[in-house]
Amino acid sequence: MIWNPEKECMSSEALQALQFARLKNLVERIYNTVPFYKKKLDAAGVKSSDIQSLKDIAKLPFTTKDDLRETYPYGLLAVPEAEIMEIHMSSGTTGTPVVGAYTANDLDDWSEGMARTLSGAGATHNSIIQNSFGYGLFTGGMGVHYGARKLGATIIPISSGNTQKQLVLMRDFKSNLFTCTPSYALYMAEQAKEMGVDIKQLHLQAACLGAEPWSEGMREEIQKVWGVKAYDIYGLTEITGPGVAFECEVQYGMHVNEDLWYPEIINPETGEVLPDGEKGELVFTTITKQGTPLIRYRTRDITFIIPQKCSCGRTTRRIHRLFGRNDDMLIIRGVNVFPSQIENVLVSIKGVEPNYQIIVDRNPHTHLDEAELQVEVSQEGFSDETKDMEKLRNNISNIMKSKLGIMLKIKLVEPKSIERFTGKAKRVIDKRKL
Ligand code: DLL
């Protein structure tokens, strides 16, 4: 179901007129209320009067993660502190976390974005939504909660972890949609098998998964083991949290709620705006946000805007499933590869589990990046015969070489020996940065 046809199915002319009016208002607002932006805009020599069309957004300077860190905690507030109703922080593991501060209006927009997201996955006010994203400073839990509430659905706010209880409640309360990271969905399925719970017999129809990169192959795997349709959902703390973009029943690309968060794709090297269809870095401008509005925020996430209209009826543009983050891209002997591409190949190979870790290091002699892929052998794929294991190892190595053009060192590890995650998984151990 389309939650808000008036906004999600606008003609592109009407949408662009709305975006333009909101953008102009935003530039005016932040110039007058955020000293950081006044300085930035003055330095770039741009005034709100220079914004004569939506295209003029390219005249505005970018905002980066470093800008957010330098202004921590309250340096980007555009309203008096008393108007802030809620604060969230990114779950980033490096450096100072980034802060998002929400006014009542910002919480309404967030709820709206998430109501559209859950509706995209088929949820209605009759749904029973088990929310297995972490509640707290992380935006996953509260974001889904607000959206489910707006829908009028039943929410089970269980948060992440406590896996046995998750499964018991799914059965007892007859949950029909669950939300969590793709890695936690896998882990829950594994635990269910151990507990003897047949998850396909539960009442589940759909899962909204996101907060980390995952591949199409992983989606197929999760849909197969759970017997549900798994939808990709995207967002980030700096912009609002989940609800920025979501998949519809077509399951190809995520509709951006672009009446609220305006997307651009840029060349990450030059900053030049790229046309729809070209791959680059995703940039967002929060055109309605009041608490901590951002102009042209560089997400470092790599994707492209799908040029074709979607057959679902929504007219909002879609971003392709994310390839990964700029900073996660590996260059192995001259070949660029994202961890999610390795995952996509791995999940199609028999005899191994979709649990893996990539250890990246730099060879001190050649100064080239090298990667070791640690893969868990499944119970069925496991053998006491060294030659069988050697064969499996070679097979994985050859498939990686032919599909991705990279030579990876493959290390097979015993079943259940790679760490499991209830939130965002850590798949890449980068020894170059240690
Ligand atoms: O992860 C918000 C969120 C919660 C999104 C629940 C979806 C579901 P942060 O902790 O600030 O916020 O991390 C944001 O996670 O810039 C991406 O790199 C990555 N990410 C989020 N969703 C996806 C996705 C939340 N569907 C960062 N696919 C983003 C790939 C994703 N990466």
Side-chain angles (χ1 to χ4, degrees), residues 37-96:
Y37 271 125
K38 178 175 188 313
K39 215 165 124 199
K40 211 180 196 16
L41 292 169
D42 282 343
V46 214
K47 292 181 293 300
S48 75
S49 55
D50 294 326
I51 308 298
Q52 304 277 353
S53 75
L54 205 45
K55 279 214 162 62
D56 286 338
I57 194 169
K59 293 181 180 164
L60 298 170
F62 293 114
T63 307
T64 63
K65 200 175 264 264
D66 283 344
D67 291 334
L68 268 63
R69 289 189 168 139
E70 279 158 26
T71 51
Y72 175 89
Y74 283 137
L76 289 176
L77 278 200
V79 294
E81 252 178 69
E83 285 184 34
I84 298 300
M85 308 273 294
E86 197 165 313
I87 286 179
H88 283 275
M89 250 162 50
S90 76
S91 46
T93 45
T94 51
T96 317

Side-chain angles (χ1 to χ4, degrees), residues 91 133 138-139 211-213 232-237 242 301 325 424:
S91 46
F133 273 122
F138 174 55
T139 52
E212 63 183 6
D232 197 4
I233 68 172
Y234 170 81
L236 60 165
T237 316
D301 290 324
R325 293 177 64 77
K424 294 180 192 249

Side-chain angles (χ1 to χ4, degrees), residues 327-340:
D327 4 42
D328 288 344
M329 192 180 76
L330 309 171
I331 305 176
I332 300 170
R333 292 177 200 264
V335 182
N336 297 355
V337 59
F338 283 107
S340 61

Side-chain angles (χ1 to χ4, degrees), residues 78-248:
V79 294
E81 252 178 69
E83 285 184 34
I84 298 300
M85 308 273 294
E86 197 165 313
I87 286 179
H88 283 275
M89 250 162 50
S90 76
S91 46
T93 45
T94 51
T96 317
V98 295
V99 181
Y102 308 67
T103 63
N105 205 60
D106 296 337
L107 292 178
D108 281 349
D109 283 349
W110 192 14
S111 314
E112 168 71 22
M114 275 310 302
R116 295 181 194 174
T117 299
L118 295 167
S119 301
T124 67
H125 72 278
N126 290 321
S127 302
I128 301 171
I129 298 178
Q130 183 151 336
N131 187 8
S132 311
F133 273 122
Y135 279 66
L137 286 168
F138 174 55
T139 52
M142 292 303 286
V144 170
H145 194 96
Y146 287 136
R149 193 161 164 170
K150 184 145 193 162
L151 275 183
T154 305
I155 315 163
I156 303 173
I158 183 165
S159 197
S160 60
N162 212 343
T163 308
Q164 298 205 349
K165 192 166 175 185
Q166 298 272 0
L167 294 158
V168 169
L169 296 198
M170 272 177 186
R171 185 196 59 202
D172 294 352
F173 291 141
K174 301 187 170 54
S175 311
N176 39 43
L177 187 152
F178 71 100
T179 63
C180 62
T181 57
S183 26
Y184 192 37
L186 266 186
Y187 178 32
M188 274 199 269
E190 184 181 82
Q191 288 278 296
K193 207 166 164 192
E194 277 178 18
M195 285 166 66
V197 176
D198 182 358
I199 46 181
K200 287 195 179 145
Q201 295 306 312
L202 300 174
H203 294 77
L204 294 163
Q205 286 154 3
C208 287
L209 310 176
E212 63 183 6
W214 56 312
S215 61
E216 201 54 48
M218 184 66 92
R219 185 221 299 270
E220 279 164 29
E221 177 70 21
I222 290 172
Q223 294 198 144
K224 190 176 85 199
V225 296
W226 280 94
V228 299
K229 275 187 106 180
Y231 296 89
D232 197 4
I233 68 172
Y234 170 81
L236 60 165
T237 316
E238 298 91 311
I239 301 305
T240 196
V244 174
F246 63 94
E247 275 186 340
C248 62

Side-chain angles (χ1 to χ4, degrees), residues 212-218 279 302 320-325 328-330 337-347 356 358 400 404 427-428:
E212 63 183 6
W214 56 312
S215 61
E216 201 54 48
M218 184 66 92
K279 192 163 149 187
I302 304 296
H320 183 271
R321 170 188 287 286
L322 269 72
F323 293 92
R325 293 177 64 77
D328 288 344
M329 192 180 76
L330 309 171
V337 59
F338 283 107
S340 61
Q341 289 174 280
I342 297 178
E343 172 187 291
N344 199 36
V345 175
L346 188 67
V347 294
Y356 66 97
I358 304 166
M400 289 289 166
L404 300 176
R427 299 285 186 204
V428 181

